[in-house]
Amino acid sequence: MTKHYLKPVALALAVSLALGACGKQEPAATAPAAASTAPAAANANATAAADLGKSIFDVSELGDSSQACQDFNSFVNAKWVKANPIPADQTSWGAFNILHEKSMAEQRELAENAEKNADSAKAGSIDQKIGWLYHSSMDMDARNKAGFEPIKSDLAAIDALKSDKDVPAWLNQSFAKGDGAVFEFGAGADFKNAKMQIAYTSQSGLGLPTPDYYTDASKKDVRDGYVKYLAKLFEMTGSSAADASKQADLAMKFETDLAQHSIAPVDMRKPENQYHFVTVAEANKITPHFDWNAFFKAQGVTIDKGFSLSQPTFFTAFDKLVASAPIDEWKAYLKAHTISGAASALSEPFVDAQFDFYGKTLRGQPEQQPQWKRSLGSVNRAMGQALGQLYVAKYFTPEAKARAEELVTNVREALKARIENLDWMSAETKTKALDKWSKFLPKIGYPETWRNWDGLTIGKDSYYANMQAAGKFNYDYDIAKIGKPTDRQDWGMTPQTVNAYYNPTDNTINFPAAILQPPFFDARADDAINYGGIGAVIGHEASHGFDDEGSQFDGDGNNVNWWSDADKKQFEARTGKLVDQFNAYAPFADHPEMHVNGKLTLGENIADLGGINIAYDALQTALKKNPAEAGKKIEGYTEDQRFFLNWARVWRGDIREKAQMVYLNADPHSPEKFRAMGAPSNMPQFANAFQCKPGDAMVRDADKQVKIW
């Protein structure tokens, strides 16, 4: 059960999406032990640059110059995309994927070295635990021999349920083991007092990507495929074909009931749909058949004034299911999710069945990834920060961190200047925006202190047992935060993750080590390349503090309105124009009705527009200090042009049609090709750089251009 409420806002969709996970994913991190570094990372930038181009920016990959003002993405990326088809074990392929593959290769070296030396490593060390965890995942002979034996006792416990009255106790114990079902539970900053952590419960329990998959006529084939997948799981665990089909139908009926009372992704962006503070007594009135006192007692959690029952409508529907759903329906649903949740940690037939639906049917991925990649995914879910500690020691230099810190400072100063010079915002609201800006906490590379893994027992034999142990360990680590002060030094991503994020409830901007390399950042590159890459990423994350969601939180992370009514109306009018722009983008020529959801993607689109403008300003400031660089061309392109070229190269990539269809419904990020073009098309600086004229596709009329931050 990963937390669903107010997720930190990431730069891009995670490259590797888990099809299923046994146990609870590792949450954000902290604890004792200092970071170390080693010179082995010195060649990391050169390696990535070689992968991404023959030079710092390979202009031979560009299209005809006439394309620049018509379709900037095609001008920069089409030749590369055509020459680099999506590998069979991927759903997309581009700049993020290549860096992810590089990170995975480095992690593989670390994991295999840990595996090789695990037996002789210091007992209980992270090296030993990672080595044994990786070994147990790779040992398919042992996993195939075990079959589904590891979950037989869980399935038997579900079969033993006699009536609806038994369900709450089962759920309480399932959560206490680090599993859970139907809803999510964990710690998070209090929206009204962000300095403290409280308990959150949130809607969950669906096996399909979004609630509309259960009712939309266009998604019937996916629903049918999902029911067949569930039936196969039931057959594989001993049910007859007829009984398996019946149980799959019952599980689907149960999920459909949940889906019909679940809030859609676009509405889940609203803070009021993510937080609903209640006392335990008030919660029990909403769910009279599910006692929250008993639940919290089973988790070992003490609730002081109350907690967030985040979507009351969902929990009202949940309570009705507790009270009235036939016990056979409950059992079918709980068994389906138990088997599917464990499938990736069981024998090959279960792994393959899960991939056949979630990989092939849902996302169009022809081949499963090799076992070593899947095993690394398990290590990252279970002990991601521990692996990150090894990663930083070998692959991240102090020089890269220092240069990134310098760029963060420069871009933040550019954001401050833009806020000060806004012509549409009142002085009163500017003062509050600048107060929020002043309280940003940038975090670069890795945590200041590493998490302690004492208490997690990992053996070399049972992969399923290891993942269950890690799930319980991470769950307990997370809920132990309830009632304690918020730690702004916590990280929500591991250092080896190729991404970045902003967290509204602690007002931090976060840049993991793995993104601080080409094409985002290159110590050898001219300023234009770095500001068009990592500079725009920094600006993007900072702009999230002022997007449609982040703007509803103050500098201390509290959900309060710091806007005047007039300024809020101005902001909404400008963001509304951006919604309209992205609603007009349709990724499939033969499916014009399937367009980007401008409201769902609004936060990311605001951050892209703000980020590129802020980074452009920071570049101009840097060039004023270096006039010689400002006036020169590199391989025929000016610094302004190279800035926009690298912006587009960052979003280089292609995606399978089925995967794109899923993401249009569920992902708050716009398709990459539209990110390459959308923000620049609102900038006169882009048109000037490439001598574009009014009427060109990349030049919006002045009254259509969106200017926010």
Side-chain angles (χ1 to χ4, degrees), residues 9-296:
V9 189
L11 172 69
L13 178 70
V15 172
S16 178
L17 295 179
L19 297 180
C22 168
K24 188 178 178 70
Q25 183 172 343
E26 178 198 342
T30 72
S36 59
T37 55
N43 293 324
N45 285 347
T47 301
D51 288 341
L52 289 158
K54 299 172 184 175
S55 65
I56 289 171
F57 190 99
D58 186 0
V59 298
S60 71
E61 294 174 343
L62 299 176
D64 188 276
S65 60
S66 64
Q67 290 180 293
C69 296
Q70 306 305 323
D71 184 339
F72 193 57
N73 177 69
S74 292
F75 170 59
V76 178
N77 296 324
K79 283 177 67 175
W80 186 92
V81 168
K82 184 177 181 181
N84 293 272
I86 303 171
D89 68 342
Q90 306 281 337
T91 58
S92 61
W93 192 245
F96 277 91
N97 305 79
I98 290 174
L99 272 190
H100 176 71
E101 290 296 299
K102 178 177 179 292
S103 178
M104 290 288 280
E106 292 163 343
Q107 293 174 57
R108 182 185 190 183
E109 181 181 346
L110 295 170
E112 290 183 347
N113 186 60
E115 179 188 23
K116 179 181 177 182
N117 298 301
D119 290 350
S120 59
K122 180 181 177 182
S125 64
I126 61 171
D127 301 76
Q128 185 179 70
K129 290 174 181 177
I130 289 171
W132 280 350
L133 178 59
Y134 184 76
H135 172 82
S136 66
S137 178
M138 291 291 291
D139 188 358
M140 288 307 303
D141 288 341
R143 290 171 59 180
N144 287 335
K145 184 177 180 180
F148 73 98
E149 185 68 31
I151 63 170
K152 281 185 177 179
S153 61
D154 294 328
L155 298 179
I158 296 170
D159 278 331
L161 299 175
K162 302 299 183 185
S163 72
D164 292 347
K165 290 184 173 64
D166 298 330
V167 170
W170 185 93
L171 289 172
N172 293 349
Q173 292 307 310
S174 179
F175 273 96
K177 293 192 300 181
D179 294 329
V182 187
F183 59 88
E184 295 174 347
F185 176 67
D190 188 342
F191 277 22
K192 300 304 179 184
N193 179 21
K195 294 184 184 299
M196 295 299 296
Q197 296 278 299
I198 63 168
Y200 279 78
T201 60
S202 187
Q203 67 180 38
S204 187
L206 305 182
L208 294 176
T210 57
D212 65 315
Y213 270 81
Y214 292 85
T215 54
D216 191 326
S218 68
K219 297 175 175 59
K220 184 179 183 302
D221 288 347
V222 174
R223 288 195 295 276
D224 291 345
Y226 181 55
V227 172
K228 289 179 181 178
Y229 162 64
L230 296 182
K232 186 171 185 177
L233 295 183
F234 283 120
E235 279 197 73
M236 292 167 65
T237 51
S239 296
S240 67
D243 188 51
S245 178
K246 178 182 177 182
Q247 290 186 78
D249 287 339
L250 287 173
M252 187 62 171
K253 181 180 183 302
F254 189 97
E255 283 191 35
T256 302
D257 286 343
L258 285 180
Q260 289 173 338
H261 296 91
S262 297
I263 298 174
V266 67
D267 293 317
M268 278 295 288
R269 289 184 48 74
K270 300 174 182 177
E272 61 266 31
N273 287 331
Q274 303 170 27
Y275 177 87
H276 182 75
F277 193 86
V278 293
T279 65
V280 174
E282 289 169 339
N284 281 339
K285 289 180 181 179
I286 295 172
T287 62
H289 301 92
F290 187 85
D291 181 4
W292 291 101
N293 281 306
F295 175 81
F296 292 129

Side-chain angles (χ1 to χ4, degrees), residues 429-676:
T429 304
K430 280 185 185 180
T431 298
K432 294 177 180 178
L434 290 168
D435 177 70
K436 178 167 186 174
W437 170 90
S438 72
K439 294 176 179 177
F440 273 140
L441 175 63
K443 296 185 297 189
I444 297 168
Y446 52 87
E448 288 188 353
T449 54
W450 295 105
R451 184 177 164 190
N452 190 311
W453 297 89
D454 292 347
L456 172 60
T457 300
I458 297 292
K460 66 183 298 184
D461 298 323
S462 174
Y463 173 49
Y464 181 85
N466 284 339
M467 291 302 287
Q468 284 295 100
K472 167 68 171 169
F473 184 81
N474 288 321
Y475 177 71
D476 289 346
Y477 175 81
D478 181 40
I479 64 175
K481 298 174 185 178
I482 294 169
K484 295 179 180 177
T486 296
D487 184 357
R488 296 182 79 200
Q489 294 297 337
D490 263 1
W491 277 72
M493 284 181 181
T494 64
Q496 62 273 28
T497 300
V498 183
N499 216 326
Y501 72 96
Y502 170 75
N503 189 346
T505 57
D506 64 16
N507 200 26
T508 61
I509 49 177
N510 307 265
F511 308 97
I515 200 171
L516 300 173
Q517 51 187 319
F520 298 95
F521 169 70
D522 190 334
R524 306 168 303 153
D526 50 301
D527 280 338
I529 293 297
N530 283 328
Y531 279 101
I534 195 64
V537 171
I538 296 164
H540 172 103
E541 299 309 334
S543 295
H544 270 308
F546 303 97
D547 68 15
D548 61 312
E549 189 172 33
S551 63
Q552 298 182 65
F553 293 80
D554 66 12
D556 295 317
N558 295 311
N559 178 210
V560 297
N561 180 18
W562 46 270
W563 294 72
S564 72
D565 290 343
D567 290 333
K568 192 68 172 179
K569 287 179 181 178
Q570 277 270 19
F571 177 75
E572 291 174 348
R574 291 166 185 266
T575 59
K577 289 170 66 175
L578 198 59
V579 170
D580 292 341
Q581 282 186 12
F582 278 83
N583 279 339
Y585 286 131
F588 309 118
D590 54 344
H591 292 288
E593 77 285 357
M594 298 189 69
H595 58 80
V596 176
N597 186 330
K599 288 186 177 180
L600 177 62
T601 59
L602 180 58
E604 297 299 328
N605 299 333
I606 293 172
D608 279 354
L609 182 59
I612 193 173
N613 273 284
I614 295 162
Y616 181 85
D617 286 359
L619 171 63
Q620 303 312 306
T621 300
L623 292 177
K624 286 178 182 177
K625 298 176 182 177
N626 188 358
E629 185 173 340
K632 71 180 180 182
K633 288 187 176 182
I634 300 176
E635 297 183 281
Y637 290 92
T638 67
E639 284 292 275
D640 275 18
Q641 288 174 327
R642 286 170 68 80
F643 171 86
F644 289 108
L645 290 173
N646 203 38
W647 163 265
R649 180 174 64 161
V650 162
W651 302 114
R652 168 176 290 175
D654 196 11
I655 186 169
R656 299 190 188 280
E657 184 172 292
K658 282 187 174 182
Q660 185 64 85
M661 289 179 177
V662 171
Y663 300 151
L664 284 177
N665 285 279
D667 182 21
H669 302 84
S670 297
E672 290 180 330
K673 62 183 177 182
F674 300 135
R675 298 183 77 173

